[in-house]
């Protein structure tokens, strides 16, 4: 991590933080601003973790440090804004040791804006540090990238998300069951920001958060529910799949949440089967159908309908085709196909 390089004394004047939305890029940029300004690190080559109690750390924590400038390039990407930044960069910090410019969604800066920014990155004042954050690094010009130390951020895994949410729960004095916590973490899809937002949304109903409340309020389904739905699809039980969707319509499940959960579970299952050397044709077909359904959700009068149609289509497709098909463990579909003379790989 970049903090380790700083502890070794390797501090860059510009960083490029790359990663998906909600992966902690902006939060890390603020921690970096604390680290280079913390009074504990003053006049030291090797920097340690910020103390969190000095005046500089407190100013940054409260968001009142005038020398920490956060810019949303999505709305401030014009060349005039970057030229204005260039002029202000030359001014010495008012409160802190270093001015830190955090530019979010930097890929949205215009071409002329990038050219203006490049000149500053080429000859930066010693009292300035830049942290450029982006979800789309390929849209940032190579001339900019080459002048930054790149740090990559990844989506949080389930364990990391649960731990992060648990810290918030403990700090706020909430009562959240393990099942409800798992549902929130799963719905966050690796985004710390999304997880915190969902938890805050549920906390508006009170300090006690049950699985029933999470399911009803967030309009989502648990991972076990999704796995069972996928199993029914792969076993081609169309009638049961319809029953699942009737239940989801009654509980107000959101199409976007369902689609994301289905694709995530299918992806994990597919990768596991690939590692075992099994055929994954059926997974590719189901995922392809769901991805196509994603484009139809917005225009459908019933958002869940395109997903239901895609899954029912898989239930009706190819029952008599003479091709290899991969099923879930203990799948009756696989046994049925074996009886018909189809080469099927089934794990036992």
């Amino acid at each position: 991590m970049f903090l380790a390089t700083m502890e070794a004394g390797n501090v860059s004047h510009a960083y490029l933080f790359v990663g998906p939305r909600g992966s902690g890029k902006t939060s890390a940029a603020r921690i970096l601003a604390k680290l280079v300004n913390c009074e504990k690190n003053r006049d030291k080559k090797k920097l340690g973790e910020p103390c969190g109690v000095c005046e500089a750390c407190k100013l940054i924590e409260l968001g009142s440090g005038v020398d920490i400038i956060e810019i949303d390039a999505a709305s401030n990407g014009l060349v005039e804004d970057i030229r204005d930044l260039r002029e202000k960069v030359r001014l010495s910090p008012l409160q802190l040791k270093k001015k830190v410019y955090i530019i979010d969604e930097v890929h949205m800066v215009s071409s002329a804006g990038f050219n203006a920014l490049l000149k500053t990155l080429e000859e930066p004042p010693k009292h300035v540090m830049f942290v450029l954050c982006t979800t789309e690094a390929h849209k940032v010009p190579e001339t900019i990238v080459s002048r930054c130390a790149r740090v990559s951020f990844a989506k949080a895994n389930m364990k990391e998300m649960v731990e992060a949410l648990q810290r918030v729960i403990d700090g706020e004095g909430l009562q959240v069951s393990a099942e409800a916590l798992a549902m929130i973490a799963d719905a966050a899809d690796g985004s710390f920001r999304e997880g915190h937002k969902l938890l805050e949304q549920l906390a508006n109903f009170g300090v006690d958060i049950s699985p029933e409340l999470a399911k009803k309020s967030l309009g989502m389904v648990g991972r076990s529910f999704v796995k069972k739905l996928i199993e029914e699809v792969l076993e081609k039980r169309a009638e049961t799949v319809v029953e699942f969707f009737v239940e989801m319509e009654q509980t107000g499940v959101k199409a976007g949440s369902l689609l994301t959960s289905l694709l995530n579970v299918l992806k994990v299952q597919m990768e596991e089967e690939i590692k075992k050397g099994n055929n994954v044709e059926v997974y590719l077909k189901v995922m392809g159908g769901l991805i196509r359904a994603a484009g139809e959700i917005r225009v459908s009068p019933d958002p869940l309908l395109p997903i239901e149609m895609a899954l029912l289509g898989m239930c009706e497709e190819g029952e008599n085709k003479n091709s290899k098909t991969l099923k879930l463990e203990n799948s009756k579909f696989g046994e049925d196909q074996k009886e018909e003379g189809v080469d099927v790989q089934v794990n036992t």
Side-chain angles (χ1 to χ4, degrees):
M1 190 63 180
F2 69 94
L3 289 178
T5 65
M6 292 200 156
E7 289 173 355
N10 301 319
V11 182
S12 175
H13 71 281
Y15 288 87
L16 178 65
F17 286 1
V18 180
R21 296 182 187 280
S23 56
K25 299 185 296 298
T26 305
S27 297
R30 293 181 188 128
I31 294 173
L32 177 57
K34 280 186 185 179
L35 191 146
V36 297
N37 282 295
C38 180
E39 291 175 10
K40 185 182 77 172
N41 292 323
R42 186 176 293 276
D43 301 323
K44 290 183 180 180
K45 183 178 180 182
K46 295 184 179 181
L47 308 182
E49 290 189 17
C51 68
V53 296
C54 69
E55 191 65 26
C57 285
K58 288 180 179 178
L59 282 172
I60 297 171
E61 181 68 29
L62 295 172
S64 55
V66 296
D67 296 316
I68 309 301
I69 303 98
E70 296 190 25
I71 301 171
D72 180 8
S75 57
N76 294 282
L78 297 176
V79 63
E80 292 81 6
D81 298 301
I82 301 300
R83 283 175 177 162
D84 181 56
L85 179 152
R86 284 182 59 200
E87 293 300 321
K88 292 179 179 178
V89 158
R90 304 296 168 185
L91 300 175
S92 298
L94 292 176
Q95 299 171 310
L96 307 173
K97 177 184 175 182
K98 275 186 179 287
K99 270 188 174 181
V100 180
Y101 284 87
I102 302 171
I103 306 180
D104 200 17
E105 301 296 344
V106 71
H107 60 273
M108 297 294 288
V109 171
S110 64
S111 297
F114 273 128
N115 289 333
L117 179 60
L118 179 61
K119 294 179 181 179
T120 301
L121 293 178
E122 286 175 335
E123 301 175 0
K126 290 184 179 180
H127 60 259
V128 172
M129 174 181 284
F130 286 93
V131 185
L132 314 180
C133 304
T134 181
T135 55
E136 302 181 54
H138 61 281
K139 292 183 178 180
V140 181
E142 183 58 35
T143 50
I144 298 291
V145 175
S146 64
R147 287 164 175 80
C148 300
R150 175 168 173 156
V151 180
S152 296
F153 290 73
K155 282 187 176 183
N157 58 37
M158 193 68 171
K159 182 174 181 292
E160 292 169 336
M161 183 59 62
V162 168
E163 290 175 349
L165 291 174
Q166 189 63 58
R167 286 193 292 270
V168 177
I169 289 168
D170 294 339
E172 297 297 325
L174 301 174
Q175 299 296 322
V176 183
S177 70
E179 186 179 352
L181 177 56
M183 292 174 69
I184 298 168
D186 187 41
D189 190 29
S191 168
F192 291 114
R193 182 173 58 215
E194 183 66 18
H196 289 176
K197 186 173 75 174
L198 292 175
L199 186 59
E200 182 181 358
Q201 182 180 338
L202 285 167
N204 290 330
F205 292 92
V207 295
D208 293 322
I209 300 174
S210 65
E212 292 74 24
L213 176 62
K215 183 176 179 180
K216 181 178 180 180
S217 300
L218 302 179
M220 62 185 184
V221 289
R223 187 170 289 266
S224 60
F225 182 97
V226 172
K227 286 183 176 180
K228 181 62 178 174
L229 175 57
I230 291 172
E231 183 178 352
E232 297 302 314
V233 171
L234 297 180
E235 290 183 352
K236 298 187 179 293
R237 294 177 177 172
E239 185 176 339
T240 308
V241 171
V242 170
E243 292 174 358
F244 271 63
F245 274 88
V246 169
E247 180 182 347
M248 286 188 284
E249 287 169 358
Q250 292 174 344
T251 55
V253 167
K254 295 179 181 178
S257 296
L258 174 62
L259 185 65
T260 299
S261 297
L262 283 167
L263 288 171
N264 286 342
V265 172
L266 283 164
K267 179 177 180 292
V268 170
Q269 291 181 349
M270 179 183 70
E271 291 171 347
E272 289 175 352
E273 297 302 332
I274 288 175
K275 291 177 182 177
K276 296 175 185 177
N278 291 328
N279 185 293
V280 294
E281 179 184 355
V282 69
Y283 285 100
L284 295 174
K285 286 184 177 179
V286 176
M287 293 173 74
L290 289 173
I291 290 172
R292 288 190 292 274
E296 301 171 359
I297 289 176
R298 290 185 179 181
V299 297
S300 173
D302 178 356
L304 286 175
L305 185 57
I307 302 175
E308 183 177 6
M309 290 173 62
L311 296 181
L312 288 175
M314 288 304 303
C315 291
E316 300 297 326
E317 184 183 85
E319 291 198 27
N320 296 315
K321 284 187 178 180
N322 192 26
S323 60
K324 290 185 178 182
T325 307
L326 176 68
K327 302 310 297 176
L328 289 176
E329 193 172 5
N330 301 324
S331 168
K332 289 184 178 180
F333 173 79
E335 295 172 1
D336 293 343
Q337 292 297 307
K338 274 186 174 180
E339 291 175 2
E340 294 177 13
V342 181
D343 183 7
V344 182
Q345 296 180 8
V346 181
N347 294 314
T348 58

